[in-house]
Structures are given as structure tokens and as C-alpha cells.
């Protein structure tokens, strides 16, 4: 049975997928900000990445040591085949749902 | 251009150890970017907001003990700040119910505090005597009529004679009276206690000025004398160090102050019972003195 992801985990997975090889904490956080329209806490991003990694949906890898980080490497993430399958399924579910729901007309909010 | 050290230390506890260095490096990167683009002050504020967002995990310290991040932890991470924001929006949208709830809670808390305070004062507080657990009050119950308002003086005296388990029995009579410090002054309302000699011992009174009652004060025909509590001495006699020897008027009777006592009963004036009830106390006639043992 595919793992059940929270909306934020799904968002994190989608951001990592969009970024490809450039996906690491900062870029994923920035991309989530673009996708959901507001900033995400870095701790939330890392918590989501930790769980996605445990579920086997993303895989961490270390970059080359970087001078601006005092010789430390960045922890990058790449989406695994299972992760891509989760994205595909979530996308299909969302499309099926929203295609079946008529969009209500814009009205005054009460 | 360094992030706040305390915030950094706190945030280090928000993620599992194997991710810690990368996490802190990423935070530093964003911090430097914000400081460069929007100023150091904003960057510091952003950094502290990161601490707030991670507060549930930091508080639990789970990130230090386990690398497994459970569904509950995840939920808390995201939900904590979201719920705060949601609560604030709800308050702004419809403040009246919130004000009502806050008022109701305030009243409830206030009422509970008042009840607890009164209960503590009435039930919980120890009686102001040296050994309150060993103090008891005698009560006469007449089979036909129930509780009598007072204990017969002669009964009390008989009990005093025969008692084996009571260390002492003090006899007294209470009266609400107006006490004057001079013949023409305004009367001060006070409880006047007509006492016998043993009452001082039962209540463990100590003289702080002058003396307490002595045998002679309880003899037939003795002069009317009074000892006053330290509170009465402070409030009515203005802490007068020369109060001993002065007079007090209770009704039409004049009493000479022989001392000031501390402990046990407060706000009271105690007079020698022999002067108030000469026949009842000393001659052994049936009288109206309840007894304390």
C-alpha cells in the first residue's frame, strides 16, 4: 500500500522533483514558498525530508565539499522511483477529483 | 554576520543528528541571504521565527533521541504555526465570541480563586494555637431540646475535677461589647472574654507587656482587671508602651489593664471572670460559662 503523505510532505516531494539535481534544503524551501505562496520553516522541510527518506521516496546524497561552507558538503536529495510514482498517483488523484468538481462562481465572502 | 547563537543552539535540537550539520548550514545560507537583501535585523527575526516553528520538536527533544520522525511529529511541525495563525484569523474575523470566552474564563478563574482562598482560610489554615489538634470545645446537649447554647458552669467544674485525659479546662463567656479607652471616648466594638485562670494556659497565651491573670485576680472581691490582645493594643491603644495601668470602660464598668498578650485569640479584650460573674464563677452557682478543655 502506498504511503499516505501529508500535504506538506507531498509539496516537499514535488519541490525536490521539480529541482532535480539542484534539490537541497535551501532550494527546496524556496520552491515550496513558490508553490504554496508563503515561506516554510526550515525545520518543517527537514522533518518532511527525513520522513520521505525513511519511506524511500527520496534519497540523500552529499555534494562535493564547498569552500563557502567551510569545506562541508551539501546534503542533496533526489526523488526515487517510488517517489516519482507517489507524485504521479497524487497528481492523477487530484486531477480526477478536481475535474469532477464544478468550480463555484466567485462570490462575496461572508 | 552570524545568526543568534542561542537560536542556533535551539534549532540544532530540531532535527536528527545525521541531518544537523546540513540543516544548520542551510539555515546559515538563508540567513546570510536575507541579511544581505533586507538587513541583519530582519535576518535575525527570521532566524528566531525558525525557532518558534520548530518549538514543539525542540521542547520534546525527540530529534535528539530518535532519527525516526513519526506522523505525529510531522503533524505537530506543520500544525503548530498553522493553528496559531488560524486562531489569530478567527479572533480577528469574529472577536465577540472570543471576548465572551475570555470573559467567562476570567470570571470562572476569579470565582475559583475566591472559593479556594475562602476554603483555605476557613478549612485549611491551622488554628492559631500551639497545639490546635489537642484543643476541643465542650458542648452540652439536652436530650429534649438538643444543643444548649452554653455549658452549665457547675457541670464544667465537675468535668474539670474528674477529667483524666484533659490537661486543662478553661472557662469563658463571650460578649460583643463597646470598649472605651476613656470615660467619654467613642466605644470600639470588641469581643470581650470573661475568663478564668486556666483559659490562659489552654490557649497558650504569652504576655508581651505587663502580666496575665494571677490567682489573686480570680478571688472573690478582686478588682476588675483586663488583659488585651496585641492587636487590640496596636489598633485601639496606639502601641502605647505605658498602656498597663490605664483603664478600659466596658459598659458602665471600669477595668484596669494589667497586660498585653500574644498568641491564640486576637482582637479581643479578656477580663477576669470573677469581676464580671462573681457569683457564678467563684461561688459555684449555675451559670452561663461554656468550657474549653
Amino acid at each position: 500500500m502506498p504511503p499516505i503523505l501529508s500535504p506538506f510532505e507531498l509539496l516537499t516531494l514535488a519541490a525536490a522533483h521539480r529541482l532535480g539535481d539542484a534539490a537541497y534544503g535551501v532550494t527546496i524551501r524556496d520552491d515550496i514558498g513558490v508553490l504554496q505562496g508563503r515561506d516554510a520553516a526550515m525545520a518543517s522541510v527537514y522533518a518532511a525530508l527525513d520522513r520521505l527518506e525513511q519511506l524511500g521516496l527520496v534519497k540523500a546524497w552529499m555534494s562535493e565539499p564547498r569552500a563557502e561552507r567551510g569545506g562541508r558538503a551539501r546534503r542533496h536529495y533526489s526523488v526515487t522511483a517510488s517517489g516519482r510514482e507517489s507524485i504521479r498517483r497524487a497528481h492523477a488523484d487530484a486531477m480526477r477529483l478536481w475535474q469532477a468538481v464544478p468550480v463555484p462562481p466567485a462570490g462575496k465572502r461572508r | 554576520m552570524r545568526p543568534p547563537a542561542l537560536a542556533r543552539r535551539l534549532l540544532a535540537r530540531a532535527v536528527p543528528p545525521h541531518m544537523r550539520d546540513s540543516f544548520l548550514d542551510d539555515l546559515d545560507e538563508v540567513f546570510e541571504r536575507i541579511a544581505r537583501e533586507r538587513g541583519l535585523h530582519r535576518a535575525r527575526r527570521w532566524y528566531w521565527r525558525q525557532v518558534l516553528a520548530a518549538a514543539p520538536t525542540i521542547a520534546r527533544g525527540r530529534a535528539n533521541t530518535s532519527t525516526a520522525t513519526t506522523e505525529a511529529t510531522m503533524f505537530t511541525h506543520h500544525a503548530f504555526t498553522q493553528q496559531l495563525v488560524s486562531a489569530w484569523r478567527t479572533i480577528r474575523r469574529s472577536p465577540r465570541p472570543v471576548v465572551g470566552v475570555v470573559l467567562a474564563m476570567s470570571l470562572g478563574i476569579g470565582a475559583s480563586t475566591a472559593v479556594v482562598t475562602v476554603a483555605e482560610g476557613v478549612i485549611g489554615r491551622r488554628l492559631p494555637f500551639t497545639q490546635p489538634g489537642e484543643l476541643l470545645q465542650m458542648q452540652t446537649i439536652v436530650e429534649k431540646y438538643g444543643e444548649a447554647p452554653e455549658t452549665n458552669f457547675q457541670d464544667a467544674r465537675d468535668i474539670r475535677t474528674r477529667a483524666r485525659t484533659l490537661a486543662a479546662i478553661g472557662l469563658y463567656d463571650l460578649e460583643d461589647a463597646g470598649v472605651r479607652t476613656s470615660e467619654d471616648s467613642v466605644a470600639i466594638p470588641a469581643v470581650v472574654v470573661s475568663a478564668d485562670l486556666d483559659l490562659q494556659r489552654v490557649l497558650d497565651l504569652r504576655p508581651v507587656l505587663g502580666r496575665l491573670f494571677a490567682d489573686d485576680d480570680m478571688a472573690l472581691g478582686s478588682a476588675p482587671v483586663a488583659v488585651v490582645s496585641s492587636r487590640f493594643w496596636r489598633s485601639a491603644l496606639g502601641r502605647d508602651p505605658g498602656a498597663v495601668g490605664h483603664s478600659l470602660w466596658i459598659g458602665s464598668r471600669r477595668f484596669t489593664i494589667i497586660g498585653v498578650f500574644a498568641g491564640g485569640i486576637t482582637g479581643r479584650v479578656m477580663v477576669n471572670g470573677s469581676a464580671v460573674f462573681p457569683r457564678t464563677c467563684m461561688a459555684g452557682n449555675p451559670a452561663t460559662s461554656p468550657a474549653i478543655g
Side-chain angles (χ1 to χ4, degrees), chain A residues 1-98:
Chain A
M1 187 176 172
I4 297 171
L5 301 179
S6 72
F8 190 81
E9 287 163 352
L10 198 56
L11 208 55
T12 306
L13 185 63
H17 177 62
R18 269 159 55 96
L19 290 163
D21 286 346
Y24 72 102
V26 174
T27 53
I28 292 172
R29 173 192 165 277
D30 290 347
D31 204 53
I32 289 171
V34 171
L35 289 173
Q36 70 171 0
R38 56 190 161 89
D39 280 350
M42 191 67 87
S44 304
V45 174
Y46 264 80
L49 287 170
D50 188 34
R51 182 158 189 263
L52 293 173
E53 195 176 358
Q54 286 177 42
L55 293 171
L57 304 182
V58 297
K59 188 177 173 187
W61 56 276
M62 301 307 287
S63 71
E64 292 297 313
R66 299 178 64 86
E68 62 267 31
R69 292 196 170 209
R72 287 191 298 279
R74 272 182 185 152
R75 187 180 180 87
H76 282 255
Y77 292 88
S78 56
V79 179
T80 62
S82 303
R84 286 193 292 275
E85 175 59 22
S86 286
I87 292 170
R88 194 198 59 73
R89 192 178 297 114
H91 184 269
D93 289 348
M95 293 304 289
R96 191 168 54 251
L97 170 68
W98 293 115

Side-chain angles (χ1 to χ4, degrees), chain B:
Chain B
M1 201 159 58
R2 300 282 301 167
L6 174 62
R8 192 178 159 85
R9 277 202 297 277
L10 289 170
L11 279 168
R13 303 174 58 188
V15 293
H18 71 280
M19 304 174 96
R20 192 161 293 158
D21 287 343
S22 301
F23 174 64
L24 292 175
D25 285 342
D26 284 355
L27 281 168
D28 288 351
E29 191 176 324
V30 180
F31 173 83
E32 285 167 14
R33 192 175 73 199
I34 295 172
R36 213 169 34 247
E37 294 171 358
R38 293 190 278 168
L40 187 61
H41 180 66
R42 287 200 172 193
R44 285 178 176 274
R45 272 176 50 190
W46 173 84
Y47 209 95
W48 277 110
R49 280 207 303 275
Q50 300 301 306
V51 177
L52 186 66
T57 308
I58 295 170
R60 276 197 309 273
R62 290 184 63 168
N64 284 331
T65 55
S66 167
T67 56
T69 309
T70 62
E71 186 74 27
T73 310
M74 284 298 306
F75 174 77
T76 310
H77 261 305
H78 309 315
F80 181 68
T81 46
Q82 283 175 2
Q83 285 178 358
L84 282 178
V85 170
S86 170
W88 175 243
R89 285 176 181 160
T90 306
I91 291 169
R92 285 186 61 185
R93 197 178 304 139
S94 50
R96 281 185 189 173
V98 177
V99 170
V101 168
V102 169
L103 273 176
M105 286 179 71
S106 305
L107 287 172
I109 292 168
S112 308
T113 308
V115 168
V116 169
T117 305
V118 170
E120 195 272 337
V122 174
I123 302 167
R125 190 171 295 170
R126 281 170 60 89
L127 292 169
F129 303 108
T130 309
Q131 293 172 310
E134 296 180 7
L135 206 60
L136 60 93
Q137 184 175 29
M138 283 191 208
Q139 180 76 51
T140 297
I141 297 175
V142 181
E143 195 174 338
K144 194 173 176 183
Y145 302 106
E147 282 185 8
E150 294 163 332
T151 294
N152 184 286
F153 174 74
Q154 285 190 323
D155 288 346
R157 241 176 32 162
D158 288 346
I159 294 168
R160 173 188 274 168
T161 307
R162 296 172 191 172
R164 296 287 176 271
T165 56
L166 299 175
I169 297 177
L171 309 181
Y172 67 89
D173 190 75
L174 296 178
E175 179 190 2
D176 288 315
V179 178
R180 288 172 286 127
T181 52
S182 65
E183 203 161 5
D184 54 353
S185 65
V186 177
I188 302 162
V191 177
V192 175
V193 184
S194 305
D196 80 339
L197 204 57
D198 276 356
L199 188 69
Q200 300 173 137
R201 193 151 70 91
V202 170
L203 300 183
D204 198 24
L205 303 184
R206 308 178 306 280
V208 291
L209 203 65
R211 64 175 178 85
L212 298 180
F213 296 128
D215 286 337
D216 291 348
D217 298 317
M218 298 299 167
L220 267 176
S222 57
V225 291
V227 290
V228 299
S229 71
S230 53
R231 185 191 289 181
F232 185 89
W233 176 63
R234 284 196 304 272
S235 60
L237 301 175
R239 297 173 183 264
D240 181 6
V244 173
H246 284 203
S247 298
L248 286 179
W249 279 262
I250 301 170
S252 59
R253 303 206 58 168
R254 176 177 174 171
F255 292 82
T256 303
I257 300 173
I258 58 168
V260 178
F261 66 85
I265 53 179
T266 58
R268 310 242 161 138
V269 173
M270 196 162 5
V271 299
N272 52 342
S274 56
V276 181
F277 305 111
R279 288 189 308 136
T280 58
C281 285
M282 306 312 299
N285 290 339
T288 58
S289 298
I292 286 181

